[in-house]
Amino acid sequence: MTSQAHDQPAVVATALPAPHSSMPSIGSLVRRPEVGSLIGMIAVLVFFSIFGGANFMSAGGAASWLNVASELGIIALPVGLLMIAGHLDLSVGSMIPASSMTIAIISGHYDQPIIVGILAALGLGLAVGFINGVLVIRTKVPSFVVTLATLFALAGLTLGLSIILSGSTSVALKSGPIAKLVLGDYLGGKFQVTLFWWIAIVLIVGFILNFSRFGNWILAMGGDAVSARNAGIPTDRVTIALFMSSGLCAAFVGMSQAILYNSAQVAAGQSFIFNSIIAVVIGGVLLTGGYGSVVGIVLGTLTFSIVNQGIFYTGFDANWASLIIGVLLLAAVLMNNTFRTMALTYAPRTKSRVR
């Protein structure tokens, strides 16, 4: 009998990708724009909860920073979208007092119906945003320069026209009960109604950025505006729409402040210029554009507001608040860059399987 050799298959070890899992990987988590801002918000919340005592976490304490966050957040959201698209809007600082004085002069000084003043204030925001967008597109001048110019121009117009039309830089406003309840009142004596407006705008902007074609266009423009235009994206229309939304939201905040405080002043609102940018940057949005999220902007807004108000609940000197905010801004940028670098260099491990 002859023995017949049977060839045996060779045992080969090959590296196969890990089986699909519904759990997100570490890389997918850390590359999210809001990871650094989430860590920062938790850190400052814990810090001020410890050093701020029970008052900081009480209803009144929470209302103090949530009220700040609501007004700042309404402005930070469209500013954040503009920054994701590669633009910047500094004119919001003048848009707030301009809209406040508009509704106060029309419905306060001249006793016109409150709805007329509301529409005029919001219309002014849309008009200034449209002008900003057109100037950026037509002149090709960086949006920083264009909106810086409109910041000063609008401030001058607001001051000059206020003196001419009302003879004062401060105008009283008495709105009706419905306008007061919907746009400028305290719920439970502590929480501003703008909190609900902020939540609504967060949901709307979140849907636009994450689930609409318009959101994809914004991200594409921030990544490379020329390539986005060559791909057929209407970059001009998107740019104008973003600036108009920024002007509209700033006008809304100014209008609601006038209704809330029953008066308007020419000098109000300047702090929103850099506070909105700081909140957006803390939220993980890149100044160079093309990267950011709505969740991150919300977290950045909350972080800034907690620091801004939490310092008053501690035993620390409140004069150090600006220093803390500056350090927080730098730390947030460094943290966000670190997480992005980790995400880009992270590669999932492969499993070896014998076959």
Side-chain angles (χ1 to χ4, degrees), residues 77-103:
L77 284 167
V79 169
L81 291 185
L82 270 169
M83 290 174 62
I84 292 174
H87 294 290
L88 198 61
D89 188 2
L90 301 180
S91 65
V92 294
S94 291
M95 190 66 254
I96 293 173
S99 60
S100 294
M101 293 300 294
T102 298
I103 187 174

Side-chain angles (χ1 to χ4, degrees), residues 72 76 274-285 296-302 304 329:
L72 178 61
F274 291 107
N275 289 355
S276 59
I277 297 174
I278 291 172
V280 170
V281 172
I282 292 175
V285 176
I297 296 172
V298 171
L299 293 174
T301 302
L302 288 172
F304 176 87
L329 174 62

Side-chain angles (χ1 to χ4, degrees), residues 135-173:
L135 287 176
V136 169
I137 292 171
R138 300 301 182 190
T139 64
K140 306 300 180 182
V141 174
S143 56
F144 176 88
V145 178
V146 171
T147 57
L148 183 63
T150 53
L151 168 73
F152 286 101
L154 186 58
L157 282 173
T158 302
L159 177 60
L161 291 177
S162 296
I163 297 296
I164 293 173
L165 297 176
S166 66
S168 175
T169 59
S170 179
V171 179
L173 172 67

Side-chain angles (χ1 to χ4, degrees), residues 68-79 194-199 201-202 245-246 248-250 252-253 256 301:
V68 172
S70 64
E71 292 184 346
L72 178 61
I74 291 174
I75 296 176
L77 284 167
V79 169
T194 47
L195 274 169
F196 295 96
W197 286 100
W198 181 36
I199 294 172
I201 295 173
V202 167
S245 67
S246 179
L248 177 65
C249 287
F252 179 87
V253 170
S256 65
T301 302

Side-chain angles (χ1 to χ4, degrees), residues 170-339:
S170 179
V171 179
L173 172 67
K174 186 177 180 180
S175 59
I178 297 178
K180 189 77 172 176
L181 177 64
V182 175
L183 296 172
D185 202 359
Y186 288 97
L187 302 179
K190 295 181 177 68
F191 297 92
Q192 291 182 19
V193 71
T194 47
L195 274 169
F196 295 96
W197 286 100
W198 181 36
I199 294 172
I201 295 173
V202 167
L203 296 176
I204 293 172
V205 175
F207 175 82
I208 291 174
L209 187 62
N210 295 292
F211 302 104
S212 73
R213 182 173 57 179
F214 191 82
N216 292 331
W217 290 349
I218 294 173
L219 292 167
M221 286 174 55
D224 189 340
V226 176
S227 298
R229 186 181 301 109
N230 293 336
I233 295 176
T235 56
D236 290 350
R237 285 190 296 164
V238 173
T239 299
I240 293 176
L242 289 176
F243 275 106
M244 291 180 68
S245 67
S246 179
L248 177 65
C249 287
F252 179 87
V253 170
M255 173 196 67
S256 65
Q257 285 184 345
I259 295 175
L260 177 67
Y261 301 119
N262 298 316
S263 65
Q265 294 182 348
V266 171
Q270 295 299 316
S271 63
F272 282 90
I273 300 173
F274 291 107
N275 289 355
S276 59
I277 297 174
I278 291 172
V280 170
V281 172
I282 292 175
V285 176
L286 293 181
L287 289 171
T288 54
Y291 188 83
S293 72
V294 172
V295 174
I297 296 172
V298 171
L299 293 174
T301 302
L302 288 172
T303 302
F304 176 87
S305 302
I306 291 171
V307 174
N308 186 266
Q309 296 297 307
I311 191 71
F312 298 103
Y313 289 88
T314 65
F316 307 144
D317 188 349
N319 293 323
W320 295 100
S322 296
L323 173 63
I324 295 175
I325 292 174
V327 173
L328 175 66
L329 174 62
L330 180 60
V333 172
L334 294 175
M335 184 181 298
N336 291 331
N337 289 340
T338 300
F339 276 102

